[in-house]
Amino acid sequence: MEKRRAKNLSTKLGKNFKDKRTRDERDNERDLKAKPRNEMTEEEEYEADILQIDSLMYIPIDWGERDSPNKRRRGQVVKLRHRSKPKIREHFKGLIKLPESNTTEVVDDLDPLWVEDVFRPVFVELVKKCPHQWWPVVVGNARKGDSKAAPPNLITSIRVKYQQGDWNQCLFKATASALHYCGRSEAASRVSNAAPTVQYLSREKAILSLREKVMLHAPEIGGVIAFNQHRKRRKMNCLSLEELVQNKSIFPTMVIPRANDGSASHAVVVVDDIIFDATQSYAMKLCQESFEWICGKDGVGGIERAVRFKKPEKTEKRYVRTMRKNW
């Protein structure tokens, strides 16, 4: 019933939020993404930046001192030229991360109609409920526009037990597949079943929910080590792509790679010498080339976030297994 309800909701959303662009407009957007940065005009650079938004902020309408604009008594007609204008009109802001310079840029004044057309309506409504706050975009790229199958030289014989299909559920499905590979079948099933409940949440909330589910169903590795996450009064644990590839671990490690174009909208899970990508049927080899393919035509720029499930949490169970060589 939950799957049927989600399917009906998706169908209704598709009818209410149709893609109103023409074929030429869609082709122009695709060409713009593939165009080198040094060949773009100023307007094209602005459009390209919008396509790589990392976080959204909602700015509600502000009427200034008037709480209720255009007040009138019963029967009184307010002429159009006498109607008050808002001090700040409703709009969105976008945050873009640039891996080359390790800096951020803000794109101001995003049209709400454009935001509703690009992002899922449920996510947009969540952003609106908490104005003036940055909301990281949803993690879970279903790879609808890219090539879906990885090259044969990058795949292994290990099957991905739980796949996301056309849903943005990579965070939970990849973790569930890794848990199944590690021999935690029951915990894997429960984590996979929880995927639909978080597919519209922002990145931070989705990761927090994932940690809670693993702690509940696999407490022997419920405690985590977080990498590349800023902490108050604590030193940040850093993890580079080279360290991840060279220093293999028996503990499942959730990784959100950041592409060279600034995007970070997909999550995979690394364990032993393989990568579980929920968009694939088989696990991929843990190597630089696999991450280059995962991040698309612009290649991988580094690791945005990583969480390693390693420590026992409130349990006497112990996580014991031998590292396997799969390729």
Side-chain angles (χ1 to χ4, degrees), residues 85-127:
K85 295 182 179 180
K87 183 179 180 182
I88 299 176
R89 64 183 182 84
E90 179 188 32
H91 66 283
F92 288 83
K93 290 185 178 181
L95 184 68
I96 302 171
K97 293 187 177 180
L98 306 176
E100 303 87 1
S101 57
N102 196 24
T103 58
T104 58
E105 290 185 0
V106 176
V107 180
D108 292 309
D109 202 14
L110 295 178
D111 191 335
L113 294 178
W114 180 89
V115 172
E116 291 176 353
D117 182 59
V118 172
F119 297 94
R120 290 181 178 270
V122 177
F123 173 69
V124 176
E125 291 302 318
L126 290 174
V127 176

Side-chain angles (χ1 to χ4, degrees), residues 16 30 45 57 66 85 133 158 165 266 281 305 319:
N16 294 331
R30 185 176 62 252
E45 287 185 1
M57 177 188 291
R66 300 191 179 189
K85 295 182 179 180
Q133 295 184 19
I158 305 300
H266 190 54
S281 300
R305 287 285 302 278
Y319 176 79

Side-chain angles (χ1 to χ4, degrees), residues 14-231:
K15 292 180 179 179
N16 294 331
F17 294 90
K18 295 181 179 180
D19 189 352
K20 298 180 180 179
R21 298 174 300 171
T22 63
R23 182 176 180 178
D24 291 338
E25 290 174 339
R26 291 194 293 268
D27 292 342
N28 291 336
E29 180 178 314
R30 185 176 62 252
D31 295 339
L32 180 60
K33 289 183 178 180
K35 192 173 184 179
R37 192 81 174 184
N38 55 2
E39 298 180 6
M40 294 182 183
T41 64
E42 185 175 351
E43 293 182 357
E44 289 176 337
E45 287 185 1
Y46 176 80
E47 292 295 331
D49 288 342
I50 286 179
L51 297 177
Q52 302 301 340
I53 290 176
D54 180 84
S55 301
L56 273 180
M57 177 188 291
Y58 174 63
I59 309 298
I61 192 169
D62 183 6
W63 295 95
E65 297 179 356
R66 300 191 179 189
D67 296 332
S68 300
N70 306 323
K71 282 186 176 180
R72 57 188 175 88
R73 297 177 181 177
R74 182 177 299 178
Q76 181 182 0
V77 178
V78 179
K79 294 183 179 180
L80 183 63
R81 64 175 180 272
H82 292 154
R83 292 182 181 178
S84 59
K85 295 182 179 180
K87 183 179 180 182
I88 299 176
R89 64 183 182 84
E90 179 188 32
H91 66 283
F92 288 83
K93 290 185 178 181
L95 184 68
I96 302 171
K97 293 187 177 180
L98 306 176
E100 303 87 1
S101 57
N102 196 24
T103 58
T104 58
E105 290 185 0
V106 176
V107 180
D108 292 309
D109 202 14
L110 295 178
D111 191 335
L113 294 178
W114 180 89
V115 172
E116 291 176 353
D117 182 59
V118 172
F119 297 94
R120 290 181 178 270
V122 177
F123 173 69
V124 176
E125 291 302 318
L126 290 174
V127 176
K128 285 184 175 182
K129 287 185 178 296
C130 298
H132 303 289
Q133 295 184 19
W134 286 114
W135 279 71
V137 296
V138 176
V139 177
N141 183 8
R143 200 182 291 278
K144 294 181 180 178
D146 303 331
S147 175
K148 289 190 175 183
N153 63 311
L154 295 180
I155 63 174
T156 66
S157 60
I158 305 300
R159 289 194 64 88
V160 177
K161 175 69 174 177
Y162 301 98
Q163 301 174 35
Q164 68 185 88
D166 291 334
W167 296 97
N168 290 340
Q169 301 174 355
C170 64
L171 198 63
F172 274 58
K173 294 297 185 180
T175 303
S177 298
L179 289 174
H180 183 270
Y181 165 83
C182 294
R184 271 59 182 176
S185 301
E186 184 177 352
S189 177
R190 294 184 179 276
V191 170
S192 175
N193 291 337
T197 63
V198 298
Q199 64 177 334
Y200 298 117
L201 296 182
S202 63
R203 179 167 59 218
E204 300 303 325
K205 291 184 179 295
I207 293 176
L208 181 60
S209 179
L210 176 65
R211 292 176 56 175
E212 292 174 351
K213 291 296 186 296
V214 175
M215 186 182 300
L216 177 63
H217 302 300
E220 61 272 24
I221 54 173
V224 305
I225 298 178
F227 297 96
N228 303 351
Q229 179 182 1
H230 293 284
R231 298 180 173 184

Side-chain angles (χ1 to χ4, degrees), residues 272-298:
D272 291 352
D273 60 349
I274 54 178
I275 304 171
F276 284 95
D277 186 337
T279 65
Q280 303 301 302
S281 300
Y282 292 89
M284 301 176 65
K285 299 177 180 178
L286 177 56
C287 60
Q288 175 84 18
E289 291 75 14
S290 294
F291 279 100
E292 296 285 353
W293 181 86
I294 290 171
C295 289
K297 61 181 179 299
D298 293 310

Side-chain angles (χ1 to χ4, degrees), residues 221-278:
I221 54 173
V224 305
I225 298 178
F227 297 96
N228 303 351
Q229 179 182 1
H230 293 284
R231 298 180 173 184
K232 293 181 179 180
R233 303 177 183 177
R234 289 187 182 182
K235 185 178 180 181
M236 181 175 65
N237 297 319
C238 297
L239 180 66
S240 65
L241 185 60
E242 293 76 13
E243 293 173 337
L244 178 67
V245 172
Q246 294 176 4
N247 303 327
K248 298 176 177 59
S249 173
I250 63 172
F251 299 98
T253 306
M254 186 281 298
V255 179
I256 300 178
R258 176 166 293 282
N260 282 319
D261 62 2
S263 61
S265 58
H266 190 54
V268 297
V269 176
V270 173
V271 61
D272 291 352
D273 60 349
I274 54 178
I275 304 171
F276 284 95
D277 186 337

